[in-house]
Amino acid sequence: MEKTEVTVRPFGLRDKIGYMLGDCANDFTFMLSAIFMMKFYTDVMGVPAAVIGLMMMLAKVVDAFTDVFMGQICDRSQPTAKGKFLPWIRRFMGPVALASVLLYAVWLKNAPLAVKIVWMFATYILWGSVCYTGINIPYGSMASVISPEPKDRTSLSTFRSLGATVAATGIGTVLPMVVFYKNEAGQTVISGERMLGAAIVCSIIAVIAYSLCYTLTTERVRLPKIQSKFSLGIFAKTIVSSRALVGIIIAALLLVLCQGTLTGMNNYIFPNYFGSRAGISIATMLASCMIVFMSTFVGRISTFVGKKGVTVAGALIGAASMFSAFFVRTHSIPVWCCFYVFGYVGLACFNLLCWAMITDVIDDMEVKNGERNDGAVYSVYSFSRKLGQAASSGLTGFLLGLAGYTQTTAFDDAVVNKIYTIATVAPAISFSLLALALIFLYPLTKQKVRENARILKEKRG
């Protein structure tokens, strides 16, 4: 596919900050759901954890269609003065913010269980499968058109991860101190009314950040509208034939499974096992500091050993840390936080580089197939991450149900000890599988990435 580059200001810090704010906005609704939604519906709304997990998994069946559909819309849309992808951010930033608020319908807490389940499923589909997809697919696809240079894309990947870290830090450190409180029995529980207020504030912040992303970033590589008729069969064949895409999809699924089980269990292990709400804030802050610290050198290390080498090493460190936490079985919050932070090294290595890795995959597919489909490829990658989110939520819900966790048994000794086991073993196994997937399935070494970049530069003159 022919591409033309427009004469605009050079790529620089403004683009990095703008792109960072885009993922910051994404995660002010996404991380709110990932961290608090299951806790809200189990403890406030009284919905069984297994039902919530099943609902999240079923929602991803819908995502399988909406993600690919949105990717096709992006690729086949007519470019505007702002490009092909940026306009969609402005179109969907209001709807995604409103849909996020509707998820936390505390006014229905006394309604029949069936009504609460239907509302939960409908609003989760509206938020995640429609509105979030409508803004996240074009946002992610945008990275490859902000700059054609691999080093610029690596910096965008790093800044994107920093944006997510800012949102996750704010939500993970501030909100636990706001939405949790001590009840009359001295137990740490969550407030539904405070949760709704937090969702409103997070949605307002998200809209502001989306607006700044739209204003600050520039699409330099202009992609023309794709005219050829879409064929699902040909598209599926293209995906399966790309070992790089298959490898990154499986790795992303496992990475999100690691993240979901590692961070998602914080709302259970700290209030129920350790009896502390402050522990959630402390662990989140320490993990965020680790990501910021690693962002200063991970990109540079990857130029020497490659992105694949860095992510494999991180996954092995994460697995070793969480297996160690399982065998030690500590009751000390500081000791647990040490294991948690080193576990987060595995997440940080992948999250800081994965967005640059997907652009490497898009380049590799263009070299092999002669055609570039940024939106379509990113939509498949995005779906794999959502599938991982669903799998982690489903697995967490299933394991909590298996452990006997309900509103009435939440603080029983047998249940809280099983919570500790889930919080350590599930991410440890996920990290191990992630390392194996990257080693044996993902083929893009440092040398291959550089060779693809050289070929594409020659192609574009």
Side-chain angles (χ1 to χ4, degrees):
M1 179 188 301
E2 292 297 324
K3 301 170 69 173
T4 58
E5 296 179 28
V6 294
T7 303
V8 293
R9 60 178 175 79
F11 175 86
L13 183 61
R14 174 174 168 172
D15 296 282
K16 297 175 187 178
I17 292 175
Y19 200 65
M20 177 187 76
L21 289 171
D23 211 38
C24 183
N26 277 343
D27 276 17
F28 262 103
T29 62
F30 173 76
M31 291 305 296
L32 189 72
S33 169
I35 296 175
F36 291 104
M37 184 179 164
M38 182 172 286
K39 187 72 171 179
F40 172 81
Y41 273 98
T42 55
D43 292 23
V44 175
M45 307 296 275
V47 179
V51 172
I52 302 169
L54 178 62
M55 180 274 298
M56 290 180 172
M57 294 182 72
L58 290 175
K60 301 313 165 188
V61 176
V62 179
D63 284 353
F65 297 95
T66 59
D67 279 5
V68 173
F69 182 66
M70 191 64 207
Q72 288 300 309
I73 290 177
C74 290
D75 284 338
R76 296 168 190 279
S77 62
Q78 187 66 41
T80 68
K82 289 289 288 184
K84 292 185 68 171
F85 304 112
L86 273 169
W88 294 102
I89 292 178
R90 187 168 64 176
R91 292 164 189 160
F92 273 98
M93 64 185 184
V96 76
L98 177 61
S100 176
V101 173
L102 293 177
L103 278 171
Y104 307 95
V106 66
W107 57 86
L108 291 176
K109 66 180 178 181
N110 295 319
L113 179 61
V115 172
K116 290 185 283 190
I117 292 175
V118 170
W119 178 274
M120 174 182 66
F121 186 76
T123 53
Y124 190 71
I125 291 290
L126 175 64
W127 167 74
S129 301
V130 179
C131 299
Y132 187 78
T133 289
I135 204 165
N136 185 53
I137 297 300
Y139 168 76
S141 305
M142 207 166 67
S144 61
V145 296
I146 293 177
S147 172
E149 297 294 334
K151 62 181 180 63
D152 293 340
R153 294 172 179 177
T154 299
S155 66
L156 285 175
S157 180
T158 299
F159 270 78
R160 174 174 181 166
S161 296
L162 289 176
T165 301
V166 170
T169 302
I171 291 172
T173 59
V174 176
L175 290 194
M177 305 304 294
V178 175
V179 301
F180 285 99
Y181 69 98
K182 292 280 188 179
N183 63 12
E184 295 179 355
Q187 298 169 331
T188 302
V189 296
I190 191 171
S191 165
E193 290 75 14
R194 295 181 187 181
M195 193 65 233
L196 176 61
I200 293 172
V201 172
C202 287
S203 287
I204 293 172
I205 295 172
V207 169
I208 294 171
Y210 278 132
S211 300
L212 290 171
C213 174
Y214 178 84
T215 302
L216 295 175
T217 52
T218 299
E219 294 187 22
R220 289 171 180 79
V221 181
R222 293 302 174 93
L223 301 175
K225 178 181 178 180
I226 293 178
Q227 303 291 344
S228 59
K229 185 178 179 180
F230 174 71
S231 169
L232 182 60
I234 294 175
F235 179 60
K237 183 178 179 180
T238 301
I239 293 171
V240 174
S241 65
S242 172
R243 182 183 166 194
L245 182 57
V246 171
I248 198 69
I249 284 173
I250 294 175
L253 193 156
L254 291 169
L255 181 280
V256 178
L257 190 62
C258 296
Q259 185 168 347
T261 52
L262 187 64
T263 61
M265 288 302 298
N266 278 348
N267 281 328
Y268 295 92
I269 193 166
F270 282 108
N272 301 79
Y273 182 84
F274 290 113
S276 169
R277 63 174 181 171
I280 303 174
S281 301
I282 294 170
T284 303
M285 179 60 73
L286 290 173
S288 299
C289 290
M290 174 61 77
I291 292 177
V292 173
F293 170 70
M294 293 183 65
S295 71
T296 62
F297 61 84
V298 164
R300 282 177 287 179
I301 292 177
S302 70
T303 61
F304 295 102
V305 301
K307 303 180 190 74
K308 176 176 178 176
V310 172
T311 52
V312 168
L316 293 174
I317 292 172
S321 179
M322 299 317 296
F323 274 127
S324 298
F326 169 72
F327 289 111
V328 170
R329 206 165 193 86
T330 182
H331 287 274
S332 167
I333 291 179
V335 173
W336 169 261
C337 285
C338 288
F339 286 123
Y340 183 82
V341 168
F342 277 101
Y344 231 85
V345 170
L347 297 180
C349 286
F350 194 96
N351 279 330
L352 287 167
L353 296 173
C354 65
W355 309 111
M357 293 168 76
I358 191 61
T359 57
D360 291 341
V361 171
I362 293 171
D363 284 350
D364 186 65
M365 293 180 70
E366 183 180 4
V367 169
K368 291 179 178 178
N369 304 323
E371 184 177 64
R372 192 176 187 94
N373 294 281
D374 298 66
V377 172
Y378 184 81
S379 69
V380 174
Y381 177 70
S382 175
F383 172 67
S384 71
R385 292 181 68 93
K386 288 184 178 180
L387 194 62
Q389 295 152 17
S392 66
S393 298
L395 179 62
T396 300
F398 172 76
L399 292 175
L400 285 171
L402 198 63
Y405 184 93
T406 65
Q407 283 178 303
T408 56
T409 64
F411 293 91
D412 291 355
D413 288 341
V415 173
V416 297
N417 283 324
K418 290 176 182 177
I419 286 174
Y420 185 96
T421 300
I422 295 169
T424 52
V425 174
I429 293 175
S430 300
F431 274 126
S432 301
L433 294 175
L434 172 60
L436 293 173
L438 288 167
I439 292 170
F440 295 107
L441 297 179
Y442 185 70
L444 297 186
T445 61
K446 177 185 70 174
Q447 293 78 13
K448 182 62 177 175
V449 169
R450 288 181 176 178
E451 175 65 12
N452 285 341
R454 183 191 64 77
I455 293 171
L456 292 178
K457 275 187 177 181
E458 292 179 356
K459 174 184 175 182
R460 296 165 191 157

